[in-house]
Amino acid sequence: MLKSIAQTFPRLALWTDENFRGRVRVLRGNLGIRNLDRFDAESLRFFSTSPNATLVLFSRTNFRGAFRVFRGNRSIADLDDIIRGNDAESLISSNVRLSLAQIRTIRRTGRLPSGFRTL
């Protein structure tokens, strides 16, 4: 009997050093990380099978400040100075397309849509 392995997307890999070096932690599913310092993240890879997958990086903790949106798969070797000269301090990883209006609502309220977990 074959066992099926369920993979949850998107998949987000966070490295402790730039250029995908150091310790790596892999997270799966729709999620928001309120404070990237907790993960000591300096580089990341974002992967999904969905072309609508959305990665949002924020310049402040708790999904605040300026933000930068990426659609589809992305590898970022250095999270320093990535948002208008600011480091990424929080992020959202989503397998579905998040509109700019949704992202602005998250930034204003600090609350993620249903179906997301917060770390």
Side-chain angles (χ1 to χ4, degrees):
M1 181 168 153
L2 292 174
K3 286 186 178 181
S4 66
I5 298 173
Q7 289 190 344
T8 304
F9 293 101
R11 187 171 51 231
L12 179 69
L14 301 171
W15 278 267
T16 58
D17 295 322
E18 296 171 357
N19 298 311
F20 318 107
R21 297 183 188 272
R23 287 173 310 185
V24 63
R25 181 166 182 183
V26 178
L27 305 167
R28 298 173 191 276
N30 294 328
L31 60 90
I33 299 176
R34 290 191 177 278
N35 188 346
L36 278 171
D37 284 346
R38 282 187 50 217
F39 293 85
D40 197 23
E42 294 294 330
S43 56
L44 68 77
R45 283 204 173 110
F46 176 71
F47 176 78
S48 176
T49 56
S50 170
N52 292 319
T54 305
L55 174 69
V56 186
L57 302 177
F58 293 88
S59 63
R60 294 180 49 207
T61 59
N62 297 313
F63 319 123
R64 305 277 190 216
F67 62 86
R68 186 164 175 190
V69 180
F70 299 94
R71 308 279 185 204
N73 300 329
R74 187 66 55 160
S75 292
I76 302 173
D78 186 356
L79 292 173
D80 291 340
D81 304 326
I82 190 141
I83 309 158
R84 292 189 240 161
N86 294 301
D87 298 351
E89 298 293 337
S90 58
L91 68 74
I92 300 170
S93 171
S94 173
N95 208 41
V96 296
R97 182 177 182 84
L98 293 175
S99 69
L100 291 178
Q102 287 173 302
I103 295 166
R104 287 185 184 108
T105 298
I106 293 166
R107 180 174 62 177
R108 184 174 40 78
T109 65
R111 290 191 327 228
L112 296 171
S114 66
F116 283 71
R117 63 192 166 111
T118 304
L119 304 175

